Amino acid sequence: MTATNVSLPPAPVGAFTRAAFEAHLASLPPLPEWWLARKRAAFERFAALPLPVRTDESWRFSNVAGLTLDGFAPPAPARAVPFASIGLSKAARLIFANGRLFSREILAPDLGRRGVVVDTLQNALREHGDLVREHLLAQPARLGSGKFSALHEAFLVDGAFIHVPRGVEVELPIGIFSFALGDRAAVFPHTLVVADEGARVTVIDYFGSQDDTERQLAVGANDLYAGHGARITYVGKQDWSHQALALQSNSTVVRRDASVQSLNLHLGARQARHESHSQLQAPGANSEMLSLTVARDDQEFDQRTLQIHQAPNTRSDLLYKNALLQRARTIFSGLIVVDPDAQKTDAYQSNRNLMLSDEAEANSLPGLEIQANDVRCTHGATTSRIDPEQEFYLQARGIPKRAADELLTFGFFEEVLNRLSQDDLHAALRTLIQTKFAGDKAAR
Amino acid sequence: MSSLVIQDLHVSIGDKPIVKGLSLTVNSGEVHAIMGPNGTGKSTLAKVIAGHPDYTVTGGDVLLDGRSVLAQEADERARAGLFLAFQYPSEIPGVSIANFLRAAVQARLPEGEEIDATAYYKRLYAKMDLLKIDRKFTSRSVNEGFSGGEKKRCEILQMAMLEPKMAVMDETDSGLDIDALRIVSEGVNALRGPGLGVLMITHYQRLLTYIVPDFVHVMYDGRIVKSGDKSLALELESRGYDWVKQELAALPA
């Protein structure tokens, strides 16, 4: 049966019609057969699935009316990208603009000699096809965004591929920049990281726009695969246009004695949905999931998380902190799943919200699904306001109320930043948050 | 030359009058001690001078260098030169002493002027050396997990950095053992000078053997009922507060 014969009513595809999909395929270089087939299948799934509605449990509290796919278009190639540096030395830097590679710099000269690959997905499909096939979008979207994951897979143009071979440690971070430029631009950024046995790597994924008034759509994903004893540190900085609709899906797979630490910094977009899956697949696997959000004006940040313990003696630790200003909204929904044989699981989940405005709204839905009997799992959510005595203390030192509240908010975030073992990364992120908090785009 | 003038001050918490017509003048270079039994309004006085929002001034005035501060927010008063050393300093998790003081120094600069970080640290370390405070202190979160003595030393360090014209010290000796009391007192004494006026609030005379006041006032039932020099403190130490209460009771209403 072909899709044209499906008797269902036409699916809400918005601008992403079958004709748009065929035009997208025609714009790509020749693809491996398996990838072309997957893209076609993804498009069919995307077209068949309905848009989320208010009654979907996995979209509870979300502004489903904001999920429109109308009016977007594949953006034109970019001639320039915004200046983007947070002052960190890097081993390599890939810049994507409107979905296509803008520049690629290998800054640590020994990377190639040590077998580290930092390249585009388009090149990797040709040169590292087996690895890409094994790990690219290999895990199902389990948190409600099946339609958007399919859209991402169908319309994915290019992305970053990082492979660190066995035993290799990349000391400096690898920076991936993805920009959406122009009104109505739709982008589908992707970062795939594969760390083989004992490898170590830090990846910083930046998402940004040039103009906060441009209406854009960003449907991104990243896959992190930590092989036996590997260590991946992943930092995502989401700073899309404040008129953007952004949906990002993260999949982390952690193998025996491996460890992944991810910290997502949420600053941009009008409405941002972030889904994060961690699978602890073998004993000794460890996943630390961290997030900081500065929600201001009318922004909505919708975060859904899944910690899946599939093997004994695994650990996951989630700490999501949100600061809410003005009329901003946040939604946190977290689930810890412990499979029957995942004994001695150690799982934590904590969502903390700091309300800096009476009009802001924080929703929190922590959850557990435990099928093993010898586990340690805790979860909790708190919502607090600025402590007036702390505020008075700072004011009594001459610090104006607004600056005092800022300082207290940075203090609130510091617990998360302190989890990062790299001091320069910590300092760079702190500066970013301060800039965002001040609403000062010029200094960025 | 600065002055802190408290004129016939009346303060309430909700409907309850706490300070009932208190008058006092502190000039720069002077150290005044206010002593009195618990529950007499001493700490309320300290917080009202600093601008705590929970208290309502129902009468009188507080003037710094001739200008009323009562309409000012706490931060404006602090920038004008007032300092309150807290009896119970707040713990501020995640904010280092260095960043906290930096924000306080930054707040005193003209709009648009950025703090000179090198000069700031140089001055901070000089003050820490003066007060014999370990430099590692600056990276700790403000007061978090501090001992009583560390909290009070942190208050003195802030006072040293912010160089107020007038400092109100609320029960600075509370919670301190004798060694901590000596160290904190040395700090205050190091900052004493012609540019600083000090109003020390204390329940016990023992602080005053370390920080010798120029004037001693006895506060009772929201008012100053007796003033004198340091010998008054010694008299209170040996005779207790009951003697003052009896004297008051003997006065015609």
Side-chain angles (χ1 to χ4, degrees):
Chain A
M1 188 170 73
T2 65
T4 44
N5 294 333
V6 171
S7 57
L8 291 167
V13 296
F16 303 96
T17 59
R18 188 166 301 278
F21 178 61
E22 293 302 333
H24 158 70
L25 289 182
S27 75
L28 296 177
L31 303 178
E33 207 45 51
W34 67 267
W35 178 230
L36 185 62
R38 273 182 52 180
K39 283 177 80 75
R40 287 195 179 281
F43 180 79
E44 299 309 329
R45 276 204 313 282
F46 161 70
L49 284 165
L51 277 167
V53 292
R54 190 165 296 282
T55 47
D56 290 345
E57 184 57 31
S58 59
W59 290 85
R60 201 170 159 206
F61 298 120
S62 300
N63 172 28
V64 292
L67 298 170
T68 174
L69 299 173
D70 293 310
F72 298 106
R79 272 183 239 102
V81 296
F83 175 73
S85 167
I86 57 169
L88 277 177
S89 299
K90 296 192 181 68
R93 182 161 63 181
L94 286 180
I95 300 179
F96 294 91
N98 287 347
R100 292 176 190 279
L101 182 70
F102 184 82
S103 67
R104 171 172 173 258
E105 297 160 274
I106 302 298
L107 303 161
D110 62 341
L111 277 190
R113 186 176 51 75
R114 299 166 77 195
V116 179
V117 180
V118 181
D119 209 338
T120 61
L121 274 175
Q122 285 194 358
N123 285 342
L125 280 165
R126 284 197 310 273
E127 292 161 25
H128 308 277
D130 290 347
L131 269 179
V132 176
R133 189 172 187 174
E134 186 181 346
H135 298 293
L136 179 68
L137 295 165
Q139 308 302 324
R142 293 159 78 155
L143 289 164
S145 275
K147 183 177 180 72
F148 299 102
S149 297
L151 174 65
H152 171 83
E153 188 165 5
F155 282 86
L156 175 58
V157 177
D158 206 353
F161 173 76
I162 297 164
H163 178 222
V164 186
R166 183 175 171 167
V168 172
E169 178 176 352
V170 184
E171 290 83 8
L172 292 173
I174 293 167
I176 311 297
F177 296 76
S178 297
F179 293 106
L181 305 169
D183 195 36
R184 309 278 155 169
V187 294
F188 305 91
H190 196 102
T191 297
L192 168 59
V193 181
V194 180
D196 286 349
E197 183 175 341
R200 286 184 176 215
V201 64
T202 297
V203 177
I204 307 177
D205 226 351
Y206 303 79
F207 307 99
S209 309
Q210 188 156 28
D211 183 338
D212 265 341
T213 66
E214 288 175 344
R215 197 188 138 194
Q216 298 171 332
L217 174 70
V219 184
N222 62 296
D223 297 302
L224 310 177
Y225 181 88
H228 187 163
R231 284 187 69 164
I232 297 174
T233 303
Y234 174 88
V235 175
K237 179 209 160 193
Q238 189 273 90
D239 199 11
W240 298 118
S241 157
H242 282 218
Q243 290 305 316
L245 168 63
L247 301 110
Q248 178 81 11
S249 174
N250 153 255
S251 163
T252 297
V253 172
V254 197
R255 302 292 301 168
R256 179 180 290 267
D257 297 330
S259 189
V260 175
Q261 182 185 53
S262 64
L263 193 166
N264 284 288
L265 186 58
H266 302 282
L267 304 174
R270 165 181 59 80
Q271 181 173 352
R273 166 105 170 180
H274 191 268
E275 299 185 359
S276 192
H277 313 66
S278 267
Q279 292 180 60
L280 294 309
Q281 290 190 339
N286 179 28
S287 179
E288 191 174 8
M289 302 158 77
L290 306 170
S291 168
L292 293 177
T293 304
V294 181
R296 59 185 311 145
D297 303 315
D298 293 303
Q299 287 181 301
E300 175 180 296
F301 291 91
D302 181 6
Q303 299 163 339
R304 314 274 163 161
T305 66
L306 188 54
Q307 296 153 263
I308 316 170
H309 290 260
Q310 298 166 318
N313 291 301
T314 50
R315 186 173 185 276
S316 67
D317 186 358
L318 179 149
L319 177 60
Y320 275 39
K321 285 197 166 188
N322 302 323
L324 292 92
L325 300 89
Q326 288 112 21
R327 297 164 306 278
R329 299 179 76 232
T330 61
I331 301 133
F332 170 81
S333 173
L335 183 61
I336 298 172
V337 175
V338 180
D339 285 355
D341 58 349
Q343 301 294 1
K344 306 280 183 199
T345 280
D346 219 345
Y348 302 90
Q349 182 198 93
S350 174
N351 167 229
R352 310 216 175 279
N353 301 301
L354 179 64
M355 313 298 284
L356 294 151
S357 150
D358 291 335
E359 296 170 90
E361 176 190 320
N363 303 281
S364 203
L365 302 159
L368 297 173
E369 240 178 62
I370 301 174
Q371 297 178 60
N373 53 23
D374 182 15
V375 301
R376 195 164 67 176
C377 293
T378 65
H379 68 161
T382 60
T383 294
S384 60
R385 294 182 181 279
I386 293 282
D387 176 344
E389 289 306 317
Q390 290 180 340
E391 190 180 55
F392 174 65
Y393 187 71
L394 297 180
Q395 281 192 270
R397 297 300 174 250
I399 301 170
K401 188 173 184 302
R402 191 188 133 102
D405 290 355
E406 269 183 37
L407 213 49
L408 292 171
T409 306
F410 301 149
F412 169 74
F413 281 158
E414 204 62 19
E415 182 191 358
V416 173
L417 293 176
N418 277 336
R419 300 274 193 101
L420 291 171
S421 52
Q422 299 167 48
D423 286 346
D424 47 353
L425 195 53
H426 180 157
L429 292 179
R430 186 198 283 141
T431 305
L432 278 175
I433 295 167
Q434 290 177 354
T435 309
K436 162 73 189 246
F437 200 94
D440 175 11
K441 301 285 279 189
R444 206 175 294 155
Chain B
M1 184 72 174
S2 274
S3 65
L4 176 67
V5 177
I6 303 166
Q7 288 175 342
D8 192 28
L9 188 68
H10 288 72
V11 181
S12 296
I13 303 177
D15 292 336
K16 190 171 183 249
I18 306 288
V19 177
K20 305 167 184 172
L22 185 144
S23 296
L24 181 68
T25 296
V26 181
N27 295 305
S28 12
E30 298 173 355
V31 175
H32 291 243
I34 292 188
M35 301 183 68
N38 285 329
T40 199
K42 302 193 300 294
S43 281
T44 298
L45 176 67
K47 286 191 172 167
V48 163
I49 294 171
H52 196 289
D54 285 357
Y55 301 90
T56 314
V57 174
T58 53
D61 210 343
V62 178
L63 304 123
L64 179 65
D65 298 339
R67 286 185 54 192
S68 174
V69 300
L70 290 182
Q72 295 179 334
E73 296 277 321
D75 56 296
E76 292 176 78
R77 299 186 197 193
R79 293 195 300 274
L82 277 175
F83 183 88
L84 171 63
F86 284 67
Q87 182 179 6
Y88 302 111
S90 286
E91 299 192 6
I92 318 278
V95 177
S96 71
I97 288 177
N99 283 344
F100 163 55
L101 274 170
R102 191 181 162 134
V105 172
Q106 174 73 55
R108 284 162 172 78
L109 298 176
E111 182 94 32
E113 191 179 313
E114 269 296 312
I115 192 168
D116 176 344
T118 315
Y120 161 72
Y121 275 102
K122 203 175 153 192
R123 202 162 76 83
L124 177 60
Y125 290 146
K127 299 290 186 189
M128 295 180 82
D129 291 347
L130 173 76
L131 300 171
K132 301 189 184 79
I133 296 173
D134 191 326
R135 290 186 182 184
K136 284 200 288 262
F137 206 63
T138 56
S139 57
R140 292 177 65 182
S141 290
V142 176
N143 295 322
E144 193 184 28
F146 283 21
S147 68
E150 284 175 328
K151 282 185 179 169
K152 297 301 166 80
R153 286 168 80 185
C154 184
E155 295 292 290
I156 305 303
L157 173 62
Q158 293 167 41
M159 185 170 145
M161 277 303 282
L162 301 178
E163 297 177 345
K165 297 173 186 169
M166 289 288 157
V168 179
M169 312 194 69
D170 188 9
E171 306 269 7
T172 292
D173 51 334
S174 72
L176 298 189
D177 61 29
I178 202 74
D179 289 332
L181 180 61
R182 189 174 45 75
I183 293 166
V184 168
S185 303
E186 278 172 12
V188 176
N189 286 329
L191 301 178
R192 271 179 93 158
L196 176 67
V198 176
L199 181 59
M200 267 194 308
I201 289 169
T202 181
H203 183 71
Y204 298 106
Q205 193 274 336
R206 64 170 192 165
L207 175 67
L208 306 183
T209 59
Y210 292 94
I211 307 171
V212 180
D214 302 302
F215 304 93
V216 174
H217 311 276
V218 179
M219 188 165 172
Y220 181 68
D221 193 23
R223 273 178 286 256
I224 285 174
V225 294
K226 203 168 182 65
S227 294
D229 62 13
K230 63 184 177 189
S231 62
L232 178 56
L234 295 170
E235 198 170 354
L236 285 168
E237 178 76 356
S238 59
R239 298 175 66 183
Y241 287 110
D242 285 347
W243 151 70
V244 180
K245 291 179 197 170
Q246 283 156 16
E247 248 189 35
L248 272 179
L251 289 175

